[in-house]
Amino acid sequence: MPNPELLPINVAGEWRLGGGAETATLYPATGEVVGRLRAPSLDDVQEAIDQADHAFRTSGWAQRKPHERAAVLHRVAQMIRERAEPLAQLQRLDNGKPINETRALVASAAGTFQYIAAACETLEEALTPSRGDFMSMSVHEPMGVVAAITPWNSPIASEAQKLAPALAAGNAVVVKPAEATPLLALELAKICEEAGVPRGLVSVLPGRGSVIGDAITRHPLVRRVSFTGGTATGKHIAHIAADKMMPVSLELGGKSATMVLADADLDHAVNGVLYGIFSSSGESCIAGSRLFVARSLYDGFMQRLTARAAALRVGDPADERTQMGPLITARHRESIESHVALGLAEGGRLLTGGCRPEGAQFERGYYYRPTIIDGVQNDWQICQQEIFGPVLVAMPFDSEADLIAQANDSLYALAAGIWTRDYKAAWRIGRAVQAGTVWINTYKQFSISTPFGGWRDSGLGREKGRLGIQQYMEQKSLYWGLNDNPLPWAH
Ligand code: NAD
């Protein structure tokens, strides 16, 4: 384990112990302490935001030319790549994901900074058609201090997704990582500092969301919150934002439908469904957790899927062959167990899993077996509530209309997957399904160049893409008079 000493947090560029309670982050595979730190106090939050505002106004970052800010962001990308392996190993310890997944998350964070740096250099403003003797323009200005509040399931990638565009836009950023996984955000802040982001512009304030996250959100100098996390928390933040007239982006929960049509390539579909729900141990907002299979295929498909799920390699996150590591905390595993118990009490049939794996190697970690439940109905709680774990519910469907109706019958609308060889059906269903992202004959694929976000209870606003930078800016219209004569009205 890396560090038994108390770790400093980052209060507007000052690395020091927080003034709040001591907390520890634990390795989910063993329960051992990975790092200890003292959370910030409310005074630390106040100081970080005041200093961030000062740095925004005085550091000159916002006034640097886009290519100059881009050069710093390119250095951040480069330094993440140079430290990729230690970062991936630290993230494995902090969050328990298999090493291959944490390596991919670190690579994704570097790619985000690289893309945003390029986008920052090439963003254009608009000269709008003028209706008088003036030049009219639409431009964008940085906001000041913005906040990034992130969950525990994909640290460094989530933080990069917010930090890179917010910095590219010229802002100061206060990052509030999840209590369970503070370490990667702290490492990323160190890299930003070493790469040349002016001191004070980035703070990392780990701590309890209901205290530290809430105080950050309410602070009058915080001009925008970019939040990723649960829907209940997102709604709470939206209420505060409404009172402050503050823009927010909310990346929230999901209960995404995966649909296997009668003509699907079944090898691809089985692999895709497994990957969609069980990678990251199902601790993924976009997990394909509701499966719909054409009734003509249903029994055979479910047999294949169940056998493959039962054979997934659950185990040590340090082993490169591991497919599913432990869950984030003992408490989260208990919550998954109670969801499964509820689904079975509602009348569901357990096809595989539904228990902790047995064996000495699993005793100390928060492991849970890949679980499939069928015999359910879409309006049951097990099909409607987000579980955020390795639990798949499966149902047959009879027609395309039935499929679309069931897929859309959810409070959530984050993502969906369609497996079919019929490109016309893929087009029809792909357009009819209500979701922020639809994958056709693939699942859980991402590109930083393509917008991401949810509908309804899955969120508000979009991240990623070139225009993601402008989410962290305010639009301004400029009119520039060109007439040699005074305005006629006063004559
Ligand atoms: P959470 O909502 O409990 O916490 C997320 C973050 O918000 C944490 O940093 C937490 O400390 C903070 N927070 C909690 N209460 C707060 C408050 N009152 N004010 C301000 N901040 C507060 O979620 P979680 O358990 O960490 O993450 C799991 C959830 O995140 C799932 O619902 C999952 O679907 C969602 N998620 C969504 C996406 C997406 O992009 N849509 C991605 C990953 C995770």
Side-chain angles (χ1 to χ4, degrees):
M1 294 298 122
N3 195 347
E5 302 294 314
L6 279 174
L7 298 168
I9 61 170
N10 178 347
V11 181
E14 195 181 324
W15 292 87
R16 66 181 198 216
L17 297 184
E22 189 176 318
T23 62
T25 141
L26 308 179
Y27 184 32
T30 61
E32 286 167 274
V33 174
V34 180
R36 288 185 192 282
L37 49 81
R38 288 196 22 214
S41 62
L42 289 175
D43 286 345
D44 291 329
V45 174
Q46 181 68 41
E47 185 183 335
I49 294 171
D50 285 347
Q51 289 303 319
D53 181 57
H54 181 74
F56 171 72
R57 287 185 286 104
T58 59
S59 69
W61 177 253
Q63 289 71 37
R64 284 197 206 175
K65 306 282 180 290
H67 71 280
E68 294 168 342
R69 288 202 295 268
V72 175
L73 300 181
H74 271 299
R75 275 202 293 281
V76 174
Q78 182 57 28
M79 289 173 68
I80 294 173
R81 290 199 173 104
E82 285 162 10
R83 298 175 194 184
E85 189 56 20
L87 287 171
Q89 294 293 354
L90 185 64
Q91 167 141 4
R92 168 180 68 79
L93 296 170
D94 205 18
N95 136 308
K97 281 192 180 210
I99 186 65
N100 284 335
E101 285 192 29
T102 63
R103 283 182 183 139
L105 288 172
V106 171
S108 151
T112 296
F113 272 93
Q114 179 183 332
Y115 174 85
I116 293 293
C120 173
E121 274 203 66
T122 55
L123 276 187
E124 292 172 1
E125 303 284 28
L127 188 64
T128 54
S130 149
R131 289 205 159 203
D133 294 330
F134 50 77
M135 191 164 68
S136 48
M137 300 174 76
S138 170
V139 299
H140 292 79
E141 308 288 6
M143 292 174 144
V145 183
V146 301
I149 303 182
T150 54
W152 44 260
N153 64 321
S154 300
I156 205 166
S158 303
E159 280 97 28
Q161 209 169 297
K162 299 179 188 309
L163 197 49
L167 287 173
N171 298 297
V173 193
V174 175
V175 182
K176 211 307 273 167
E179 297 91 308
T181 55
L183 301 184
L184 273 290
L186 290 165
E187 291 301 314
L188 191 53
K190 273 183 213 155
I191 289 175
C192 288
E193 194 175 293
E194 287 173 40
V197 175
R199 189 180 153 89
L201 228 50
V202 175
S203 291
V204 179
L205 303 177
R208 281 185 53 199
S210 57
V211 180
I212 302 304
D214 189 79
I216 293 170
T217 306
R218 289 181 194 278
H219 198 289
L221 285 174
V222 171
R223 309 290 186 203
R224 183 186 199 281
V225 170
S226 173
F227 171 78
T228 300
T231 297
T233 317
K235 287 183 178 177
H236 174 80
I237 287 172
H239 280 288
I240 299 171
D243 280 343
K244 287 173 67 180
M245 292 301 287
M246 170 180 74
V248 282
S249 59
L250 304 169
E251 304 281 355
L252 309 179
K255 190 79 179 180
S256 300
T258 308
M259 303 164 239
V260 180
L261 275 55
D263 65 351
D265 178 323
L266 296 187
D267 291 339
H268 287 209
V270 167
N271 282 321
V273 172
L274 285 171
Y275 177 66
I277 178 64
F278 296 124
S279 59
S280 305
S281 300
E283 293 173 327
S284 166
C285 55
I286 43 164
S289 49
R290 275 186 311 148
L291 174 65
F292 296 95
V293 181
R295 195 177 290 279
S296 58
L297 298 179
Y298 189 79
D299 290 340
F301 187 85
M302 292 310 296
Q303 266 173 19
R304 275 182 75 176
L305 188 72
T306 302
R308 290 282 307 280
L312 287 174
R313 295 182 296 277
V314 180
D316 180 2
D319 182 341
E320 296 194 348
R321 283 175 38 80
T322 292
Q323 290 168 300
M324 267 180 55
L327 299 166
I328 187 74
T329 57
R331 196 157 151 228
H332 187 55
R333 178 170 63 177
E334 282 161 21
S335 130
I336 289 165
E337 287 172 332
S338 62
H339 278 289
V340 169
L342 174 67
L344 300 181
E346 283 180 300
R349 176 174 62 145
L350 187 64
L351 296 183
T352 186
C355 59
R356 304 175 183 188
E358 286 178 2
Q361 71 274 35
F362 299 117
E363 264 162 26
R364 291 188 301 154
Y366 319 128
Y367 290 96
Y368 195 72
R369 291 206 62 81
T371 297
I372 304 179
I373 297 174
D374 81 347
V376 295
Q377 288 173 24
N378 190 52
D379 60 355
W380 291 5
Q381 293 184 67
I382 189 82
C383 299
Q384 291 292 323
Q385 293 175 353
E386 183 186 44
I387 298 176
F388 215 59
V391 180
L392 177 70
V393 289
M395 290 156 275
F397 69 87
D398 291 307
S399 66
E400 194 172 304
D402 170 36
L403 173 64
I404 292 167
Q406 292 203 72
N408 286 342
D409 184 11
S410 170
L411 284 178
Y412 296 111
L414 189 59
I418 304 167
W419 296 90
T420 179
R421 288 189 174 97
D422 178 347
Y423 73 92
K424 290 181 188 163
W427 173 254
R428 284 193 305 271
I429 300 167
R431 296 305 301 259
V433 74
Q434 294 164 351
T437 297
V438 177
W439 287 287
I440 297 165
N441 292 328
T442 186
Y443 204 86
K444 257 184 145 178
Q445 302 301 308
F446 275 123
S447 168
I448 179 66
S449 58
T450 310
F452 177 75
W455 302 9
R456 303 202 295 265
D457 271 26
S458 290
L460 202 63
R462 295 290 177 270
E463 289 193 332
K464 302 188 177 179
R466 291 183 77 214
L467 299 182
I469 297 174
Q470 289 179 345
Q471 306 278 323
Y472 293 90
M473 307 181 94
E474 289 284 10
Q475 187 276 343
K476 178 188 283 173
S477 298
L478 277 179
Y479 290 82
W480 195 332
L482 298 174
N483 202 325
D484 288 338
N485 302 316
L487 289 171
W489 180 87
H491 279 291

